[in-house]
């Protein structure tokens, strides 16, 4: 270059250019610290308040955050999404494939092999395919009830390809969960169960299973929503008591019964055999699944209580009509004849706001709170009838297998 002095316009621009270069260097260093080469728009996280969740994530995955850049009252933090390779490798030995078969009448029982075609003597084996995972040192395996429906024989296939015939300890229609038992293996550890109540919408979630028989398949997504019910899923013959997660982590045929993990590698859900398509999938929260598993291990069944009401959601319009401060609670749409609710004097149109001092947020919450009350124990319901609050005492009874 020549020794001629720079033009005046260039000299005026030098301070601004230096500032831009310094900012770019700072961002580049932050990206390098985060383990990425370039911070794309989808690597920007928003954290408000103290940023404790961001710090926790950073601690779990290394130095994954850069210095926050102030933007109004929101802190913008650059981060690199973690790799799930270590979680997948650790979970693989504990996740199993579950196969089931029904022996055709009059034929000898034998373990699988090629399915038989035709009818009569040539009747085909009825087969089920799903996933499961080991939950304790006794060899208990949690899976979906649908895959073993009507089964005479259940096989569990491990990560090394070996198989064991499994004993069915119990199944629960309301949550579509089942508990199996196999002989414990030294190389198969029990998976650690997390706390599904701590999961938040937007948290990472990793599904491990065997879709279409493709073993050791891992998919990832986020918790898309919580508290989904059968009505939200808009499909027939689904569990009625489960408080589902919704997730966009891919869960295909054969994945049902497999674990959903958080970023600490803990199980926070069980993949459900429900798929609305277009990337919308569901899972039973592990806190509920663990209670079901404990009951199946102890009794082979899950005891639930009910009072005999069909309820609906209290929307803003319903709340205005009944003079309530806002949405919430469960409105009684029908009282079953001869039920505890009828005997207690509950009426159609009553709005249930509390049970035993606990707030009823929606109809699903009312069912969950009632089902854990011991049958025969009297509890108080706080209801609103024709704009006036009152207390109703009711004693739940065991929930029958089917409500006619």
């Amino acid at each position: 270059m020549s020794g001629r002095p720079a033009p005046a316009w260039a000299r005026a621009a030098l301070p601004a250019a230096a500032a831009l270069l310094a900012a770019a260097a700072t961002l580049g260093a932050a990206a390098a610290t985060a383990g990425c080469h370039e911070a794309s728009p989808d690597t920007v996280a928003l954290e408000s308040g103290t940023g404790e969740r961001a710090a926790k994530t950073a601690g779990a995955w290394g130095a994954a955050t850069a210095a926050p850049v102030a933007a109004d009252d929101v802190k913008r933090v650059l981060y690199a999404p973690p790799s799930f390779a270590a979680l997948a490798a650790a979970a693989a030995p504990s996740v199993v494939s579950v196969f089931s078969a029904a022996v055709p009448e009059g034929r000898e029982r034998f373990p699988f092999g090629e399915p038989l075609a035709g009818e009569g003597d040539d009747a085909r084996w009825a087969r089920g395919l799903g996933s499961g995972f080991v939950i304790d040192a006794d060899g208990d395996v949690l899976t979906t009830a649908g895959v073993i429906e009507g089964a005479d024989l259940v096989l569990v296939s491990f990560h090394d390809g070996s198989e064991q015939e499994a004993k069915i300890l119990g199944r629960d229609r309301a949550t579509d969960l089942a508990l199996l038992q196999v002989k414990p293996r030294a190389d198969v550890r029990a998976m650690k169960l997390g706390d599904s109540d701590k999961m938040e919408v937007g948290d990472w979630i990793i599904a491990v299973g065997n879709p279409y028989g493709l073993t050791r398949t891992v998919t990832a997504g986020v918790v898309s929503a919580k508290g989904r019910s059968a009505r939200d899923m808009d499909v027939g013959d689904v569990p009625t008591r489960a408080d589902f997660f919704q997730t966009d982590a891919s869960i295909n045929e054969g994945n049902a019964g497999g674990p959903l993990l958080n970023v600490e590698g803990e199980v926070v859900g069980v993949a459900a055999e429900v798929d609305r398509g277009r990337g919308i999938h569901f899972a039973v929260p592990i806190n509920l699944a663990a209670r079901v598993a404990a009951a199946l291990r102890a009794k082979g069944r899950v005891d639930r209580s009910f009072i005999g009401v069909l309820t609906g959601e209290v929307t803003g319009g319903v709340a205005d009509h009944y003079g309530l401060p806002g949405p919430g609670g469960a409105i009684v749409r029908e009282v079953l004849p001869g039920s505890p609710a009828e005997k207690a004097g509950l009426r159609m149109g009553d709005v249930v706001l509390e049970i035993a001092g606990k707030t009823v947020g929606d109809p699903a919450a009312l069912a969950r709170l009632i089902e854990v009350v011991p049958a025969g124990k009297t509890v108080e319901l706080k209801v609103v009838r024709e704009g006036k609050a009152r207390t109703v005492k009711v004693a739940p009874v065991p929930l029958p297998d089917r409500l006619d």
Side-chain angles (χ1 to χ4, degrees):
M1 296 181 62
S2 67
R4 297 177 57 186
W9 62 266
R11 292 194 301 273
L14 283 176
L20 286 173
L21 289 173
T26 300
L27 288 175
T33 301
C36 61
H37 299 292
E38 182 177 356
S40 58
D42 61 356
T43 62
V44 177
L46 297 180
E47 288 286 347
S48 59
T50 62
E52 291 180 357
R53 286 175 57 79
K56 181 180 179 181
T57 302
W61 296 101
T65 57
V69 180
D72 298 326
D73 59 344
V74 178
K75 297 178 181 179
R76 299 179 63 85
V77 182
L78 298 176
Y79 75 100
S83 167
F84 304 121
L87 297 184
S94 305
V95 180
V96 300
S97 294
V98 179
F99 303 93
S100 68
V103 182
E105 186 176 355
R107 294 195 63 86
E108 184 180 356
R109 180 180 184 278
F110 67 95
F112 296 102
E114 292 297 320
L116 303 174
E119 299 178 354
D121 290 341
D122 295 324
R124 179 187 298 273
W125 281 71
R127 305 184 66 179
L129 170 65
S131 301
F133 56 100
V134 178
I135 62 172
D136 60 31
D138 295 328
D140 290 348
V141 174
L142 192 59
T143 185
T144 179
V147 74
I148 64 170
E149 187 68 31
D152 298 305
L153 176 65
V154 178
L155 286 186
V156 167
S157 178
F158 295 92
H159 65 287
D160 59 1
S162 63
E163 295 178 344
Q164 276 193 38
E165 183 173 346
K167 177 182 178 182
I168 300 175
L169 296 182
R171 68 194 79 188
D172 180 49
R173 181 176 61 86
T175 56
D176 195 33
L177 294 174
L179 190 66
L180 311 176
Q181 190 172 65
V182 296
K183 294 179 181 179
R185 291 178 43 159
D187 61 334
V188 177
R189 65 177 180 83
M191 300 199 74
K192 183 179 180 181
L193 307 186
D195 184 353
S196 52
D197 289 342
K198 293 183 179 179
M199 296 297 290
E200 299 179 10
V201 173
D203 280 347
W204 282 109
I205 203 163
I206 304 98
V208 186
N210 309 293
Y212 307 111
L214 301 173
T215 60
R216 298 180 296 281
T217 295
V218 178
T219 58
V222 297
V223 175
S224 304
K226 297 173 64 176
R228 293 303 195 200
S229 66
R231 180 183 303 171
D232 295 319
M233 290 181 278
D234 194 27
V235 286
D237 195 26
V238 298
T240 55
R241 291 281 72 85
D243 184 12
F244 281 85
F245 283 143
Q246 178 185 323
T247 178
D248 61 347
S250 184
I251 299 173
N252 295 300
E253 183 179 351
N255 255 117
L260 271 68
L261 313 177
N262 60 18
V263 292
E264 282 79 35
E266 301 167 335
V267 181
V268 292
V270 183
E273 201 167 13
V274 177
D275 182 2
R276 285 191 65 176
R278 300 185 179 182
I280 297 178
H281 308 277
F282 298 92
V284 181
I286 197 61
N287 289 6
L288 171 59
R291 292 196 297 271
V292 169
L296 294 178
R297 186 184 300 111
K299 299 181 178 180
R301 68 180 189 276
V302 180
D303 293 328
R304 292 185 173 84
S305 298
F306 95 127
I307 60 173
V309 293
L310 303 180
T311 59
E313 184 179 1
V314 178
T315 62
V318 172
D320 290 341
H321 178 76
Y322 284 92
L324 299 172
I331 184 169
V332 177
R333 298 295 189 190
E334 182 179 349
V335 179
L336 301 182
S339 67
E342 183 185 57
K343 296 175 182 177
L346 277 174
R347 301 178 186 175
M348 184 175 65
D350 286 350
V351 178
V352 182
L353 299 178
E354 292 183 6
I355 173 172
K358 297 180 180 178
T359 301
V360 173
D362 53 35
L366 176 61
R368 289 194 300 272
L369 290 170
I370 288 175
E371 70 183 16
V372 297
V373 176
K377 179 181 178 180
T378 300
V379 291
E380 291 187 349
L381 304 182
K382 179 181 178 182
V383 305
V384 173
R385 178 182 299 167
E386 298 177 350
K388 296 182 179 179
R390 63 179 61 215
T391 298
V392 176
K393 294 183 178 181
V394 61
V397 297
L399 177 69
D401 290 336
R402 297 191 179 278
L403 297 176
D404 298 326

